[in-house]
Amino acid sequence: MDFALTDEQELLRRTVRSALESFCTKEWLDDLESREEYPADLFALFAELGLLGLGVPEELGGSGGGMVELAIVCEELGRFGGSVNMTYMPTAVFGNQTLLGGADPAMQARFIPRLCAGELRTAFALTEPEAGSDAAAIRTRAVPDGDGYVLNGSKIWSSGALAADYLVLSARTGTLDERHTGISVFMVDANSPGVEIRHIPKLGHLAVRSCEIHLTDCVVPADQVIGEVGRGWKALVRALDAERICVAAICTGLSQKCTDLALDYGIGRQQFGQPVAAFQAISHMLAEMETETAASRWLTRFAAWSVDQGLPVTKEASMAKAYATELATRTATRAMQVHGGYGYSKEFEIERFYREAKLYEVAGGSTQIQRNLIAARMGIPVTGGQR
Ligand SMILES: Cc1cc2nc3c(=O)[nH]c(=O)nc-3n(C[C@H](O)[C@H](O)[C@H](O)COP(=O)(O)OP(=O)(O)OC[C@H]3O[C@@H](n4cnc5c(N)ncnc54)[C@H](O)[C@@H]3O)c2cc1C
């Protein structure tokens, strides 16, 4: 058993940390978020550092590595705020991993090298107004027509859709009763006629807009279906497992950053003639934050390692996601408490993490759905735990 990162993994971690420390300053992020402007220059930096190609074979223009490397990078991104990781995930995780999960070699060769090089951006569009947790109930329809498909329907909460070149979009090619087996996944040109994208104002992750998408007679060529028609869920499972592990890693980074900020503040802030961190009520809180963050890291890295070993991973990914996301909310709340009134000020970084943490308990499959997935794999007949 070896818990240590390899020299290459440690170099990757340090490179990402140091690049983001110089690039993603608080002033830069505050400015972008106040204008809700997409950080195209940050996306370009990800490409330059080879991060968009992680988990992608080198012959497809990737940087190699696997899920462990993706988890290492996502933990670092989590230290810098939701806008930073929401710039990364839609292309590096949803785009690449869905294509790797289902597309034929020609389609992989057509899209993946350009995603890794940062020449194209994708956004993921699975959720619909009437189909959130119950993703197999999507109603957007794709009907064969000549050389392609005609799509009609609505999507919601697609993050980064306004900045994307292509939407990795799921639609129903079978009947509603077929559930998972009646779904196909399309690479939809975001600028094609019949695609309308609208921004939904939200609480955090402000530089990357999450969007409604309306499709009206949108034509998609047949060579832009990812995998076999009606078997799109197979491609999605790879991306959704990767998403849960990456979100768990992001939340581990968020929790570590909140712990570090609270520790610094608690040591520096004097009340009653001593640092507030030295009061037992606060020192024990900090000790728990540190301990739980370590637990979150190891659950996440174990799930990532399981992917790289080709082991079944749905249960492990759900365990990591449920634990790490609830911890992120708890740790951000505790870090706010250690900061006292100053934590509520925009002058301090902690308020951003406090606003952003809650999202992770919902997006990417809510905590309740993760528990259903775990329970189903313990042999319990739950509704909403099958995939
Ligand atoms: C900011 C943001 C960004 C997002 N980005 C994307 C994106 O890029 N692409 C995309 O496709 N989607 C995205 N999503 C959608 C996200 O994945 C969904 O919000 C999530 O899956 C939950 O669906 P819902 O919001 O419809 O909640 P619902 O499914 O309506 O759930 C409501 C509540 O009921 C609970 N619940 C539902 N079913 C069960 C059950 N069987 N057992 C127990 N409890 C249950 C849920 O846990 C939740 O607490 C994003 C969401 C947000 C808020």
Side-chain angles (χ1 to χ4, degrees), residues 174-251:
T175 64
L176 257 181
D177 291 344
E178 284 176 281
R179 304 262 309 156
H180 300 85
T181 49
I183 291 173
S184 303
V185 187
F186 297 82
M187 285 291 271
V188 177
D189 183 338
N191 296 307
S192 55
V195 178
E196 192 194 340
I197 304 178
R198 278 197 234 127
H199 162 217
I200 310 167
K202 60 187 194 296
L203 180 65
H205 301 67
L206 295 175
V208 180
R209 296 174 175 205
S210 299
C211 305
E212 284 176 51
I213 302 171
H214 299 282
L215 301 158
T216 312
D217 295 332
C218 168
V219 176
V220 181
D223 65 358
Q224 286 175 208
V225 184
I226 300 181
E228 259 180 80
V229 173
R231 295 279 175 271
W233 196 262
K234 193 171 146 274
L236 291 179
V237 166
R238 177 176 173 134
L240 295 175
D241 282 342
E243 177 192 22
R244 282 176 295 142
I245 294 170
C246 288
V247 169
I250 287 164
C251 287

Side-chain angles (χ1 to χ4, degrees), residues 8-42:
E8 290 79 18
Q9 289 167 341
E10 183 54 26
L11 179 65
L12 173 68
R13 192 192 67 72
R14 277 212 225 116
T15 305
V16 176
R17 172 86 58 98
S18 102
L20 295 188
E21 268 171 358
S22 321
F23 201 93
C24 304
T25 61
K26 181 176 184 316
E27 297 66 35
W28 173 82
L29 206 48
D30 284 348
D31 177 51
L32 270 185
E33 292 196 332
S34 68
R35 292 181 285 114
E36 299 192 23
E37 184 183 309
Y38 183 82
D41 48 356
L42 175 62

Side-chain angles (χ1 to χ4, degrees), residues 262-284 286 338:
L263 177 63
D264 272 3
Y265 185 85
I267 296 282
R269 175 70 173 172
Q270 296 265 333
Q271 290 291 284
F272 299 96
Q274 67 170 74
V276 295
F279 293 112
Q280 193 183 62
I282 304 291
S283 66
H284 283 192
L286 289 164
V338 174

